[in-house]
Amino acid sequence: MTSVHEIVILGGNFAGVDLVHHLQRQVLPLLKKAAGQTKFHISLVSPNTHFFFKVAAPRALINTTLISEEKIFKSLAEGFKQYGESVTLVRGKAAGLSPETRSVSVELVGGGSQQLKYDTLFIATGTTSTSPLWTLHDDHQASLDALHKLHAALPNAKTVLISGGGPVGVETAGEITAAYPNAKITLVVGGGILSTLKAGTIAKAKKLLADAKVDVLTNTRVTQATTEGASTVVELSNGESKTVDIYIDGTGATKINSEYLPKSWLDSTGRVTTRDAYFRVKGDSQADVSGIYVVGDIVAGSTNTAIEMNAQVTTAASSFAVDVLSKLGGKTGSSGGLLSFIPGFGSKGVAQKEFKPMKDTMIVPFGPSAGVGQAMGWSLPTFAVKKGKAEHFLINMVEPAVTGSKYPQL
């Protein structure tokens, strides 16, 4: 008798989309060979209809000539239609999880709810920023509206204040100064500029900001921002108050999307803890967490980078493959060998893949021809930063991500 193994993925942007494609194109083809008459079905739960390539947002906010909205917002349905009925999009948000019944309660967009049974569950609901410029806010139209608002306001803006000293804040400052050199830019930083990078890289970034005449306020936070007519009054933690034409909140993730999960599964920040290095959820002694994995920014200890997420996807997917094959009585192999180029699989078949992201690696453009970066801790020259990201903001990566071609079909 044919049985169906139900896979539920919660979250529909980078991690969730990658999981669908990686499973469909590289993992499930191998499992099907060992699973007999077992079929696999994926349900992706997301309130959004579109994928948002948020990496390019700092340039896309300037105008549509530099990066059009069609290049960074892509239909999920279009990306998944190649898989037919084996992938179902469920428009909604996870509202609760029952390990006892192995089901997820979903609040559907437009009203109503649905219970989704799972054999395997991937948690990939990530984080949300205060501004929809940087992450999806349930409907991609909110992000579009935020971009359009800046497109209209920036050409006439004389003063712009940006909060956040991470890549988003620095890149946004660089894009605005490149496009509108006469605008006075203030960058408010809670700690220091690009604080996770090496001292030499940080020094280069500070020089770029100084040369562009960006006023940087370190160890300072925005406590309140109030729009008054065409201006915004920004209150700072140092007691200052600044009235500017445009205020951009670039502080990154401010909400962890884990409210539907048991609190005992979370760390003090609200992220999901794992029981091993392979992204199996730790859970607690009261719940059956077998077959539950977590990927992306919602992972406890995550550095919130795309480089890390890519490595998490292949490792978590291999954990799923190993666990399923073990239940079916099959044998798993060692990673490596002739097929080691296939993430998670070795020459002997299904294998557990180690989590090995590129550490201390980041590229931060400052306009289209400058920026800073490091790879494995080593400083990158300007031409490498320019070619690596500054020229096109990695737009060439959008189609492979949405269509799944980044994962060769087995």
Side-chain angles (χ1 to χ4, degrees), residues 58 129-131 134 160-174 176 185-195 205 209 214-223 234 236 247-254 364 366:
S129 59
T130 298
S131 170
W134 321 118
V160 180
L161 188 146
I162 304 164
S163 60
V168 165
V170 173
E171 289 174 358
T172 300
I176 295 175
I185 311 298
T186 301
L187 184 62
V188 177
V189 184
I193 295 292
L194 302 174
S195 58
L209 288 162
V214 175
D215 185 16
V216 180
L217 303 180
T218 57
N219 300 310
T220 306
R221 298 182 184 277
V222 171
T223 58
V234 182
L236 304 178
Y247 167 59
I248 300 174
D249 187 326
T251 51
T254 54
V364 183
F366 195 81

Side-chain angles (χ1 to χ4, degrees), residues 7 11 15 50 52 57 76 104 114-115 122 132 167 181 194 205 223-224 257 293 295 329 376 382 385 387 400:
I7 303 168
H50 285 64
F52 175 28
L76 293 177
V104 178
Q114 182 177 350
Q115 295 292 320
F122 287 95
L194 302 174
T223 58
Q224 186 175 338
N257 300 319
Y293 313 89
V295 175
M376 303 299 286
T382 300
V385 173
K387 292 298 180 183

Side-chain angles (χ1 to χ4, degrees), residues 319-339:
S319 298
F320 152 75
V322 166
D323 293 346
V324 170
L325 190 57
S326 296
K327 285 186 177 181
L328 294 172
K331 293 183 179 180
T332 60
S334 58
S335 60
L338 296 177
L339 298 182

Side-chain angles (χ1 to χ4, degrees), residues 188-216:
V188 177
V189 184
I193 295 292
L194 302 174
S195 58
T196 62
L197 300 183
K198 301 290 185 180
T201 307
I202 293 173
K204 291 181 180 179
K206 287 181 176 179
K207 186 176 188 307
L208 286 173
L209 288 162
D211 289 347
K213 295 181 171 54
V214 175
D215 185 16
V216 180

